[in-house]
Amino acid sequence: MSDAAQPTAAEVRAAAEAIKTALDRHLAAVERRSGEDDPAVYEAFNQLAAAAEAYDELLYDRYDEVTPFEIPGAEDTLPPYAGPEEPNAVSVLIRRDYAVAEPQRLLAQAQRVEAAEYEVVGGADDEGAGTVPGALGILFGEFEPDEIASRHKEFGLEEGDSTLWVTAADEPAEPGEWLEAPFEQVDPQRVVCRFDVSAVFDDEDEDIEDDEVDEDDEDDVADEADEADEDGIDELDGDEELEPIDAER
């Protein structure tokens, strides 16, 4: 960053004072907490996180220094549920990502579906199953999303991340009301539950398992070596004759 764009010492000082104020507000909200998911505590937490992030950035830009603490961002977690206690309706939002791992397999499956359908109605459309977008349209139009998920390898797809959100509503939505933008009107405070599946979680689990396996392997190798040494000593101490080596082997 250029000298002209650097924050002033007064700006850094003001950011530090903002953290102190945010700390006091957070502590006061915690002391007055009305329950485990008190919205006031959540709001004070977000304010403290924002103040800490702003101070950290200014401190680094001005003095090339960082703070010794880290506060998780508010976007990493959902806010406390603030919807109706007895929802009259729920919405289930699902997103599943796929990579087109085998385009030829995808095209072949779509062509098979298209051929079977046009045997009844007649005249297949080459432009439909002959392109990847067309093939995707045919397969997702023919099969339910859950069936696609369970048979994705058959269709040449590779699973990516997926998420499922259940949101509460006072009343069912009017027909066609949200179809143009199904995910834009989600209120995070009305999310009843959420389930995420990601390779990121699998990688973290594998790292933990690898560490445990490495430690166990080291112990097992050491134990086996000790046992081998003891067995070797016992065998050589006896009067039994060693089996002669077969030179023709």
Side-chain angles (χ1 to χ4, degrees), residues 129-206:
T131 65
V132 170
L136 288 170
I138 291 172
L139 293 176
F140 278 89
E142 176 71 16
F143 301 100
E144 292 291 333
D146 288 342
E147 186 171 2
I148 295 285
S150 64
R151 300 173 56 188
H152 62 277
K153 291 184 178 180
E154 296 180 34
F155 303 126
L157 303 175
E158 182 179 313
E159 282 185 318
D161 290 354
S162 65
T163 187
L164 182 151
W165 294 31
V166 179
T167 64
D170 297 317
E171 299 294 338
E174 293 293 331
E177 181 180 354
W178 49 262
L179 295 180
E180 292 298 323
F183 299 103
E184 288 186 0
Q185 300 179 4
V186 178
D187 183 352
Q189 290 189 311
R190 286 183 171 241
V191 176
V192 178
C193 55
R194 170 180 171 177
F195 303 96
D196 299 322
V197 177
S198 175
V200 173
F201 306 142
D202 296 337
D203 293 342
E204 291 175 354
D205 293 339
E206 289 175 2

Side-chain angles (χ1 to χ4, degrees), residues 10-24 51 55:
E11 289 174 329
V12 179
R13 175 67 61 181
E17 293 299 327
I19 284 187
K20 297 175 186 178
T21 301
L23 278 169
D24 290 338
Y55 172 69

